[in-house]
Amino acid sequence: MTRTLHFFCCIGLLAHFGLYAQSPAHTDNPVLDSLQQVLEQQEGLERAYTYREIFLNMRAYDIQTAKAYLDSAAAINALVQNDTLKARLYESSARYHYYISDYKEGAAQLQLAIEVNREIGNRQDLPVNYNALGIFYKYLGKPGLALESFQNALRISEQLGQPSSALAPALMNIGKLHAELGDLEISNTYYRRVEAICGESGVEYCLAITRSNMATNLAEAGNYREALQLYQEALPYFESENLKTELGEQYNLMASVYLKMDSLNTARTYLENALEINRETGELRELGMAHRGLGDIHFREGDYRLALGRYQTGLGYFEPSNSLDAVETYLRISESFDKLGNIPQAYAFHTRFFSAYDSIFSQKNQDKISALEIQYESEKNRQEIQMQQQEIALLQEKQKADRLQRIGLISGLVVVLFFAGLGYYALRQKMKRNRLERERVKAELAFKKKELTTHALHLAKKNEILEDLKQQAKSLKETEDNSTAYKALLRTISADQQDDKAWENFTQHFEAVHKDFARKATEKYPEITRTELRLMALIKMNLSSKEIASILNISAEGVKKARHRLRKKMELSRADSLDTAIMSL
């Protein structure tokens, strides 16, 4: 899963776009010094706003001291009761909770900010609120809600008539969300739009962030050299501006590429740099990433005990927020326990991984994301059609006035040409809608087929792992006199291998792609059993006998016998192909 820099933590770009009134943070910060001097001459609301500005400038290198200034601003506002400042303090509080990786509370603070801004009619701040809320939802494993928040930010900015630069944060965050869900092609489309906006605006920070994110996509696609080149182009800007938060994440990202290239010593150097700078900034998520990366190095080197310690340290930073990063770490911990021979713990963390992964990347979430994309584009199309209709109405009025000044053939010719044009336009629009609908249906079917295959392979891989655990548990029985625990573990694994819920999920995916297959099969062959119907479904997917054996939890010979029994029930001759007969249903 990819990791990319985003706009909520990257204050420089937001400042250029007028979303936050602050400059990049330096420990020797003239802006901060100026604010401290002004503070002595201020009172009331004015003083509260300055406290907030100090928080925004200080938070990147001393978050807890910065939080004290934010608390002072809140104390003043409790007395003066200014709603605009109240909303902005909620938003600033969310930023604090982001830096301490408390994503749940951060999202709650942003929802309060949105509520206040809506009550007072302050729509200008809403795009910032929704962008930040989407980032929190993403880290909480709610991609559908994240996309909905980013789209709200886009929609409001467009309604307010804001310049293209104001759309860049939402476009970037949508691109990042698609990248983390594996949709690199869609993600790159959004990144290129942001890069164009940054180029037009001449904002170096924007270009550095965008190219760093594009580099992460290149690395995910296996283009490591190109990825490192883009990272190296972005790095000097972060270093020259002393943007420590961005540097900490950049070092982690570059280390992950060197890990994939098996350059372990170079990766270790970048990770140690990341640890040092993230301890200074207090950025908890990136501290967790650095520990997990060092754990990956220990694992590659065969030191599984050190690797486990690093993974568990990283999990300590991730798990309080129940983030996507925690889900990935469960799997690494499971693999480490497995290498150390602790089979029960390996199985426990593997189960946690599958449970969390399935909840985040469920079909329901994927469907919601697709539906939101289609809904957003449909709304834009409707708005464009309404504008076209208004233009046509104006054109009709103008032509009506012209017709009053003409007589005879010229007037009639204008009328004929006008209606012909409308007819041609309507025909073109209808053809365009039909084409878009065909493309949407085709894309939806392709997506469902991909999901079905993924789910089937997930079942196969899950049963392979559980079977391996059973064999290791049997070996454990021979070395340890703990037959009760051994039998309990075997019963748990066997029950998981025969999990009907997993089959129900698979059946739903299968019927979404191959509609009415089960009904047609049972109508034509009424004697087939439920197990045989499962076998027919797997053959319909063109899976190999080995994959079918893993999914059904039987041997290859068992698959062969099951196919033979199925042929007899379907009354097929030797010359008839079982696969062809099933494919024709």
Side-chain angles (χ1 to χ4, degrees):
M1 193 175 298
T2 58
R3 295 186 296 110
T4 46
L5 295 166
H6 55 65
F7 282 177
F8 183 64
C9 69
C10 305
I11 61 169
L13 182 57
L14 294 178
H16 283 297
F17 286 153
L19 300 180
Y20 293 111
Q22 61 187 84
S23 62
H26 299 269
T27 52
D28 183 16
N29 190 330
V31 175
L32 187 56
D33 293 339
S34 175
L35 289 170
Q36 294 277 14
Q37 293 174 4
V38 169
L39 191 65
E40 299 174 2
Q41 303 160 3
Q42 293 177 328
E43 295 180 358
L45 186 62
E46 192 177 26
R47 188 180 182 90
Y49 268 108
T50 302
Y51 276 140
R52 177 175 175 268
E53 289 301 311
I54 292 174
F55 163 79
L56 294 173
N57 279 271
M58 185 179 287
R59 62 100 196 99
Y61 57 90
D62 190 348
I63 187 63
Q64 295 304 333
T65 302
K67 178 62 163 55
Y69 283 98
L70 188 63
D71 291 341
S72 296
I76 293 175
N77 200 52
L79 299 174
V80 300
Q81 291 292 313
N82 181 278
D83 287 336
T84 300
L85 178 58
K86 181 180 181 180
R88 290 179 181 175
L89 289 174
Y90 281 138
E91 182 270 335
S92 297
S93 176
R95 291 169 65 84
Y96 166 76
H97 286 94
Y98 169 82
Y99 281 102
I100 65 170
S101 298
D102 188 351
Y103 304 130
K104 185 175 181 181
E105 181 58 29
Q109 293 291 309
L110 284 165
Q111 287 165 343
L112 290 172
I114 290 170
E115 182 180 341
V116 173
N117 279 326
R118 288 197 174 280
E119 286 177 355
I120 65 177
N122 179 21
R123 302 190 73 213
Q124 295 291 332
D125 286 357
L126 285 176
V128 180
N129 298 155
Y130 277 117
N131 262 316
L133 182 61
I135 293 167
F136 281 110
Y137 279 142
K138 185 191 71 173
Y139 283 136
L140 287 169
K142 299 177 180 179
L145 289 176
L147 179 59
E148 188 174 13
S149 294
F150 296 145
Q151 287 179 343
N152 281 337
L154 268 182
R155 189 178 294 109
I156 294 170
S157 291
E158 290 170 345
Q159 290 170 354
L160 293 173
Q162 294 178 342
S164 60
S165 58
L167 308 180
L171 293 172
M172 174 72 89
N173 288 325
I174 293 174
K176 280 172 31 53
L177 181 62
H178 280 292
E180 296 186 6
L181 293 174
D183 301 325
L184 299 185
E185 186 175 346
I186 298 175
S187 172
N188 286 329
T189 300
Y190 280 99
Y191 287 162
R192 283 190 288 271
R193 289 178 65 183
V194 177
E195 186 179 28
I197 292 172
C198 296
E200 292 173 2
S201 304
V203 183
E204 289 185 55
Y205 182 93
C206 172
L207 289 171
I209 292 293
T210 307
R211 288 169 182 168
S212 177
N213 287 346
M214 295 172 78
T216 303
N217 281 5
L218 284 170
E220 192 70 13
N223 301 320
Y224 304 134
R225 296 294 178 188
E226 295 177 47
L228 286 173
Q229 183 176 348
L230 275 181
Y231 282 139
Q232 293 290 358
E233 290 176 6
L235 193 61
Y237 178 81
F238 299 141
E239 291 175 336
S240 66
E241 294 297 318
N242 197 28
L243 297 173
K244 294 185 177 181
T245 301
E246 289 79 355
L247 275 174
E249 186 165 3
Q250 190 83 349
Y251 289 150
N252 273 332
L253 291 169
M254 294 176 72
S256 69
V257 177
Y258 281 113
L259 260 172
K260 292 173 182 176
M261 298 171 66
D262 289 326
S263 300
L264 301 187
N265 287 333
T266 306
R268 183 182 283 108
T269 299
Y270 276 107
L271 288 168
E272 288 171 351
N273 289 340
L275 270 181
E276 180 180 353
I277 199 167
N278 287 317
R279 286 193 186 107
E280 184 179 345
T281 62
E283 231 287 18
L284 300 184
R285 177 175 181 267
E286 293 308 315
L287 275 171
M289 285 296 184
H291 281 291
R292 196 172 76 183
L294 289 168
D296 290 339
I297 292 176
H298 293 314
F299 194 94
R300 296 269 190 94
E301 293 173 339
D303 195 336
Y304 305 120
R305 193 165 299 282
L306 276 179
L308 178 61
R310 287 289 189 180
Y311 292 149
Q312 289 173 327
T313 301
L315 185 62
Y317 291 110
F318 301 143
E319 202 164 36
S321 61
N322 191 32
S323 66
L324 293 172
D325 305 311
V327 177
E328 293 181 350
T329 309
Y330 291 149
L331 188 58
R332 286 170 164 83
I333 291 176
S334 172
E335 292 168 348
S336 298
F337 275 125
D338 183 36
K339 292 292 186 181
L340 292 169
N342 191 334
I343 304 305
Q345 284 283 27
Y347 175 71
F349 274 94
H350 213 280
T351 302
R352 289 172 72 178
F353 165 76
F354 273 121
S355 175
Y357 186 92
D358 286 344
S359 67
I360 293 171
F361 294 96
S362 65
Q363 184 65 40
K364 181 179 179 181
N365 267 335
Q366 299 294 339
D367 287 347
K368 179 168 184 178
I369 289 172
S370 298
L372 285 168
E373 289 278 23
I374 293 169
Q375 178 185 350
Y376 181 70
E377 292 301 323
S378 297
E379 284 184 11
K380 289 188 67 176
N381 289 339
R382 280 198 297 271
Q383 291 172 2
E384 289 173 3
I385 290 171
Q386 288 175 355
M387 291 179 63
Q388 290 170 349
Q389 288 173 340
Q390 290 173 358
E391 290 174 1
I392 291 171
L394 290 173
L395 181 60
Q396 287 174 329
E397 290 297 324
K398 184 177 181 299
Q399 290 181 337
K400 181 179 179 181
D402 290 341
R403 285 198 300 270
L404 295 176
Q405 299 174 10
R406 295 179 176 87
I407 59 173
L409 182 60
I410 296 176
S411 179
L413 181 60
V414 169
V415 173
V416 170
L417 289 175
F418 173 71
F419 282 106
L422 281 181
Y424 177 73
Y425 173 80
L427 178 61
R428 286 291 301 273
Q429 289 296 102
K430 182 177 181 181
M431 292 172 64
K432 180 180 178 181
R433 287 196 298 272
N434 289 341
R435 176 176 59 80
L436 290 175
E437 179 62 19
R438 287 195 301 271
E439 290 176 356
R440 186 190 68 77
V441 172
K442 182 179 178 182
E444 183 178 348
L445 182 59
F447 176 78
K448 288 182 178 179
K449 286 183 177 179
K450 176 183 175 183
E451 287 297 299
L452 173 60
T453 303
T454 301
H455 200 84
L457 294 178
H458 165 69
L459 284 174
K461 183 65 178 176
K462 174 185 172 185
N463 281 337
E464 286 179 11
I465 292 170
L466 291 174
E467 184 61 32
D468 183 56
L469 286 173
K470 285 175 69 175
Q471 297 304 320
Q472 293 185 51
K474 290 178 181 177
S475 299
L476 184 65
K477 179 187 177 186
E478 297 174 1
T479 59
E480 298 184 14
D481 187 15
N482 193 358
S483 60
T484 303
Y486 155 75
K487 291 177 181 179
L489 179 59
L490 278 187
R491 284 197 299 273
T492 301
I493 296 172
S494 298
D496 207 339
Q497 286 179 311
Q498 305 298 330
D499 187 2
D500 284 339
K501 184 176 180 181
W503 271 108
E504 289 176 8
N505 291 335
F506 170 80
T507 302
Q508 292 176 1
H509 288 297
F510 184 85
E511 284 293 326
V513 177
H514 305 288
K515 293 188 181 298
D516 297 329
F517 176 82
R519 180 183 59 77
K520 293 175 183 176
T522 52
E523 286 179 356
K524 190 169 183 179
Y525 308 108
E527 295 183 2
I528 59 173
T529 65
R530 182 182 180 185
T531 302
E532 289 166 341
L533 189 59
R534 290 178 177 177
L535 175 60
M536 292 174 73
L538 298 175
I539 293 173
K540 177 76 172 178
M541 289 180 62
N542 202 24
L543 297 180
S544 66
S545 294
K546 181 180 178 181
E547 290 169 332
I548 293 174
S550 293
I551 293 172
L552 295 179
N553 195 30
I554 59 177
S555 65
E557 183 63 28
V559 173
K560 185 176 179 181
K561 291 179 180 179
R563 288 173 66 97
H564 180 71
R565 289 193 297 271
L566 185 58
R567 288 180 62 88
K568 290 181 66 176
K569 286 194 178 181
M570 294 174 67
E571 299 180 351
L572 299 178
S573 66
R574 289 193 174 186
D576 295 329
S577 167
L578 176 62
D579 290 12
T580 302
I582 292 174
M583 290 294 183
S584 65
L585 289 174

